[in-house]
Amino acid sequence: DTEVTQTPKHLVMGMTNKKSLKCEQHMGHRAMYWYKQKAKKPPELMFVYSYEKLSINESVPSRFSPECPNSSLLNLHLHALQPEDSALYLCASSQGRGDSTEAFFGQGTRLTVV
Amino acid sequence: AQSVTQLGSHVSVSEGALVLLRCNYSSSVPPYLFWYVQYPNQGLQLLLKYTSAATLVKGINGFEAEFKKSETSFHLTKPSAHMSDAAEYFCAVNQAGTALIFGKGTTLSVSS
């Protein structure tokens, strides 16, 4: 199984809503990532978890709150988002954070903030 | 910090023609380099990766890339384009063992 599963695939939320994005992998990977991708742009790194601990936060606003309940799951909690936060949110995982390690990506959650 | 630069934001080829997508890296030490493909409204799929074992790397879907240290390049090629190759292609580097950092991407269009 080389899949990274993200739910939901699409999400529309108001600026006062609270919602969560979910990501799951069963490859035994110990590093998991959240990326944000705007249209016609490359993915931008948001957070990195290594062995279930947050190791990198790329200066992401606090309205985005990551959580790693166990080695297979990664959540991204959303609160008080702005319309400019609308984007494709990609989850990825890798065996570790070594230089030669490739990441496996989920299909993404298309988020629209209204 | 390591980075990659993709030359050409848009490449158009005819079906059956050679595909060449350019990527140059910036690093004082040999980096580990990756090419990913993204189809519309989908995640990223690994095409191939360079990890210093061989300079010519073969990937999926008939793609290959050659690492050239003298030119600091890792260009992606395919001898004969197919309509299904139309997608966004990203070159990436693993920055200091932290996470993948991507180039700006190249849109490949294939016409019949």
Side-chain angles (χ1 to χ4, degrees), chain A residues 35 37 97-99 102-103 110, chain B residues 32 36 38 49 94 97 100:
Chain A
Y35 284 84
Q37 187 179 26
R97 293 196 290 126
D99 288 357
E102 71 266 32
R110 176 72 61 187
Chain B
Y32 295 100
Y36 281 82
Q38 185 177 32
K49 70 175 183 179
N94 192 314
L100 290 177

Side-chain angles (χ1 to χ4, degrees), chain A residues 35-44 46 86-90 110, chain B residues 38 42-44 88 90:
Chain A
Y35 284 84
K36 173 183 177 180
Q37 187 179 26
K38 302 283 275 185
K40 306 295 184 185
K41 298 290 186 183
E44 294 180 355
M46 299 175 73
S86 298
L88 181 68
Y89 287 84
L90 293 164
R110 176 72 61 187
Chain B
Q38 185 177 32
Q42 295 205 12
L44 282 76
E88 190 77 15
F90 293 101

Side-chain angles (χ1 to χ4, degrees), chain A residues 21-37:
Chain A
L21 309 185
K22 296 185 183 303
C23 175
E24 189 169 7
Q25 58 87 14
H26 295 288
M27 294 178 277
H29 289 173
R30 303 317 301 263
M32 296 187 76
Y33 313 81
W34 281 114
Y35 284 84
K36 173 183 177 180
Q37 187 179 26

